[in-house]
């Protein structure tokens, strides 16, 4: 693209987004109008229509929804009762995909749940309710997701699962127990304080617990929402940019991921007037059902696997702060390209690296071999939990910084503008097995197996 035209569009993007409140207003309308947008709920489907209308109103070429069927889950009463050595009812919440049913069993506490813990406690875990902390294991070389800790406990024979918050005052943390399927056993979450009360009781004798759940797992319909700027020169070369709009039912899910949805819509709004100058097709996608197991992105990839998707940029966690991270998903050869581009676009610090991840919407794309990356940002904080307020009651609008939304929308719009207009995008599609081999190297294929997920290329 002619550098003069690029500079002109850049100035208009910055002018449009820098002083605009539309991103912050959008998140406010989303959370106040549609609540949590929990996967498969009426709220999620109504939010899909709201986002489609927003795309249509900002003048993209096409605004449409793509529906799919999957499993959904409805929160119903769940209880945690101590039956020995005292009798008490304690507070808990169900994890999504907790099945209906009841179980009574002794408690086994696994601390931060590094892999060795399940081996050491193998005899005790059979027929027990396992309680594991959300904390990152201190004596292991990588983080461990909820799904892996649950999978390892179940493989060792646990008949119930308690996800205990790792930090004091941190509220019980939610998160789906399984990916797009009912969990095999009741799975609940408690606060750090409740967990420690259980551990105090354990000092005077074996703690026995009863978990009773009336939660419901049933088929449902959800919609990915797409705003498309059809390419003026190479319409078959497609860039996907977007993040999930569904949230967890216990909160407004303003940060995770109302903010990333706003960055998606705002960057579309800034680029739509320049469609005539944009060579490649850009699809801005608000993905459904991420929190229930990346289901929306998975369905999108299934439906579009034969298209020429030249790049996918995931925006889960974008729009939250001034410190950005761009993580490529097994395209280390492209780190210098992105580092140089982002250095030119933004004087603040954006860390660029190549670290494949398993837990957001870029994963199904990378697993199909499409070049992919995930962008997120945060404010510098000391201490606190890895997720901040995410996945708790208090992921609410008041924590969002409108300035961060503006800055990330500008950054994403300008990045996508370059990718959509440069002569050749220096990224090539790979084989699914390439990511499979990389994950094997990182010790992550066994994680996929514990989570009952497929290994790419197998
Ligand atoms: Zn998220």
């Amino acid at each position: 693209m002619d550098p003069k035209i690029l500079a002109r569009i850049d100035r208009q993007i910055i002018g449009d987004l820098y002083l605009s409140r539309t991103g912050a207003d959008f998140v406010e309308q989303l959370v106040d109008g549609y609540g949590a947008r929990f996967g498969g709920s009426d709220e999620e489907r109504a939010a899909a229509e709201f986002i489609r209308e927003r795309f249509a109103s900002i003048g993209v070429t096409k605004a449409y929804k793509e529906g799919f069927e999957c499993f959904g889950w409805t929160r119903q009463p769940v209880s945690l009762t101590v039956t020995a050595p005292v009798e008490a009812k304690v507070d808990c919440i169900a994890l999504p995909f907790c099945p209906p049913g009841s179980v009574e069993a002794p408690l086994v506490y696994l601390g931060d749940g590094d892999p060795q813990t399940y081996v050491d406690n193998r005899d005790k875990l059979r027929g027990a309710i396992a309680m594991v902390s959300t904390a990152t294991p201190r004596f292991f070389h990588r983080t461990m997701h909820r799904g892996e800790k649950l999978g390892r406990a179940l493989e060792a024979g646990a008949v119930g699962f308690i996800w205990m918050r790792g930090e004091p005052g941190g509220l019980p943390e939610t998160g789906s127990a399984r990916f797009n399927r009912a969990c095999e056993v009741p799975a609940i979450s408690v606060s750090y304080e409740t967990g420690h009360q259980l551990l105090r009781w354990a000092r005077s004798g074996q703690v026995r617990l009863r978990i009773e759940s009336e939660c419901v797992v049933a088929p449902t319909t959800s919609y990915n929402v797409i705003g498309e700027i059809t390419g003026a020169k190479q319409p078959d070369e497609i860039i996907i940019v977007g993040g999930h709009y569904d949230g967890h039912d216990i909160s407004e899910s303003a940060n995770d991921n109302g903010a990333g949805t706003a960055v998606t819509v705002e960057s579309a709004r800034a680029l739509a007037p320049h469609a005539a100058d944009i060579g490649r097709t850009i699809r801005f996608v608000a993905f459904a059902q991420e929190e229930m197991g990346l289901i929306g992105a998975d369905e999108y990839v299934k439906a579009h696997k034969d298209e020429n998707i030249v790049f996918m940029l995931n925006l889960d966690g974008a729009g939250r702060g001034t410190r950005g991270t761009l993580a490529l998903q097994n395209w280390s050869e492209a780190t210098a390209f992105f580092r140089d581009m982002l250095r030119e676009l933004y004087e603040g610090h954006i860390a660029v690296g190549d670290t494949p991840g398993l837990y957001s919407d870029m994963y199904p794309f990378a697993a199909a071999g499409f070049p992919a990356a995930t962008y997120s940002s945060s404010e510098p904080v000391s201490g606190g939990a890895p997720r901040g307020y995410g996945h708790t009651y208090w992921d609410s609008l008041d924590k969002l910084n409108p300035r961060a939304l503006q800055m990330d929308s500008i950054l994403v719009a300008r990045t996508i503008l370059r990718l959509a207009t440069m002569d050749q995008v220096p990224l090539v599609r790979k084989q699914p097995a390439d990511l499979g081999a990389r994950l094997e190297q990182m010790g992550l294929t066994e994680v996929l197996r514990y989570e009952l997920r497929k290994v790419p290329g197998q």
Side-chain angles (χ1 to χ4, degrees):
M1 171 179 250
D2 180 343
K4 276 192 206 129
I5 300 177
L6 187 65
R8 172 175 56 78
I9 300 178
D10 263 346
R11 280 196 302 276
Q12 285 176 12
I13 289 172
I14 295 166
D16 270 357
L17 295 175
Y18 187 68
L19 292 175
S20 167
R21 260 204 69 87
T22 47
D25 288 345
F26 172 83
V27 186
E28 190 168 330
Q29 288 165 359
L30 193 65
V31 304
D32 286 350
Y34 306 95
R37 299 97 58 205
F38 189 58
S41 67
D42 289 339
E43 280 180 343
E44 191 201 34
R45 287 184 288 270
E49 187 50 28
F50 167 69
I51 297 167
R52 193 198 64 76
E53 283 168 11
R54 174 60 62 111
F55 276 135
S57 76
I58 59 183
V60 293
T61 321
K62 289 190 258 184
Y64 53 99
K65 298 186 291 188
E66 294 182 351
F68 57 88
E69 309 289 309
C70 63
F71 281 108
W73 178 84
T74 313
R75 185 176 299 282
Q76 295 295 337
V78 66
S79 66
L80 175 59
T81 310
V82 184
T83 59
V86 297
E87 284 189 24
K89 264 207 183 311
V90 294
D91 285 341
C92 71
I93 60 171
L95 295 180
F97 283 134
C98 171
S102 147
V103 63
E104 185 168 345
L107 171 71
V108 173
Y109 179 53
L110 300 169
D112 55 28
D114 64 51
Q116 188 59 34
T117 323
Y118 309 88
V119 180
D120 295 345
N121 288 280
R122 187 156 276 278
D123 296 340
K124 287 189 231 155
L125 272 172
R126 189 149 302 282
I129 292 172
M131 182 164 77
V132 189
S133 149
T134 64
T136 298
R138 280 156 294 183
F139 298 105
F140 195 51
H141 59 87
R142 61 169 171 80
T143 58
M144 290 175 72
H145 190 264
R146 170 184 70 250
E148 178 184 4
K149 293 181 181 181
L150 179 143
R152 286 179 185 269
L154 263 52
E155 198 224 24
V159 295
F161 182 77
I162 302 178
W163 187 226
M164 173 187 158
R165 184 66 188 238
E167 305 82 23
L171 298 168
E173 188 183 287
T174 191
S176 67
R178 286 297 196 192
F179 279 58
N180 193 15
R181 68 168 80 203
C183 186
E184 303 91 312
V185 305
I188 61 172
S189 175
V190 299
S191 67
Y192 175 90
E193 290 74 11
T194 299
H196 277 274
Q197 171 71 78
L198 296 175
L199 297 178
R200 283 203 299 282
W201 282 324
R203 292 212 296 262
S204 44
Q206 174 65 262
V207 169
R208 284 189 67 82
L209 301 172
R210 187 168 63 242
I211 304 174
E212 286 164 294
S213 156
E214 295 170 35
C215 297
V216 177
V217 180
T220 190
T221 304
S222 287
Y223 295 87
N224 293 323
V225 191
I226 299 101
E228 176 176 315
I229 297 176
T230 306
K233 292 197 195 95
Q234 306 106 301
D236 297 339
E237 294 181 23
I238 299 155
I239 291 164
I240 305 277
V241 53
H244 70 93
Y245 69 95
D246 66 306
H248 273 296
D249 61 329
I250 59 170
S251 81
E252 294 176 2
S253 301
N255 291 265
D256 185 10
N257 188 35
T261 312
V263 173
T264 306
V265 173
E266 281 293 278
S267 46
R269 185 174 70 78
L271 289 173
H274 307 288
D277 289 311
I278 297 175
R280 297 188 176 84
T281 291
I282 308 170
R283 288 192 194 140
F284 299 89
V285 185
F287 292 101
Q289 291 272 18
E290 188 269 354
E291 298 289 8
M292 303 300 276
L294 322 182
I295 307 170
D298 217 29
E299 292 290 334
Y300 191 89
V301 169
K302 268 190 229 161
H304 298 273
K305 63 180 186 317
D306 297 325
E307 290 178 336
N308 185 9
I309 297 172
V310 296
F311 184 57
M312 189 275 180
L313 179 63
N314 182 43
L315 299 175
D316 191 358
R320 295 187 203 171
T322 50
R323 281 200 185 171
T325 305
L326 182 80
L328 289 156
Q329 305 293 307
N330 199 38
W331 271 264
S332 60
E333 61 276 23
T335 46
F337 165 74
F338 280 103
R339 215 169 267 159
D340 291 348
M341 189 201 307
L342 293 176
R343 196 177 291 135
E344 186 198 311
L345 293 185
Y346 185 66
E347 62 183 37
H349 182 65
I350 295 171
V352 179
D354 181 58
T355 320
L358 306 177
Y359 302 107
S360 190
D361 290 331
M362 71 294 173
Y363 178 75
F365 288 85
F370 293 121
T374 186
Y375 175 77
S376 62
S377 64
S378 61
E379 294 297 359
V381 284
S382 58
R387 282 188 188 276
Y389 291 97
H391 289 216
T392 75
Y393 297 117
W394 300 138
D395 178 355
S396 49
L397 190 67
D398 43 275
K399 281 110 191 160
L400 266 188
N401 175 357
R403 175 61 79 215
L405 277 180
Q406 292 164 338
M407 297 307 280
D408 271 358
S409 301
I410 291 170
L411 183 77
V412 167
R414 295 176 72 204
T415 301
I416 294 300
L417 172 66
R418 279 154 177 75
L419 290 166
T421 57
M422 68 201 315
D423 288 343
Q424 189 97 47
V425 179
L427 297 161
V428 284
R429 190 171 178 180
K430 296 184 176 178
Q431 291 299 320
D434 290 341
L435 181 65
R438 176 79 185 275
L439 296 177
E440 176 68 36
Q441 234 176 50
M442 296 169 75
L444 296 180
T445 49
E446 66 164 347
V447 174
L448 289 171
R449 287 188 200 102
Y450 282 120
E451 294 176 348
L452 310 178
R453 300 162 72 187
K454 271 180 52 189
V455 175
Q458 289 182 16

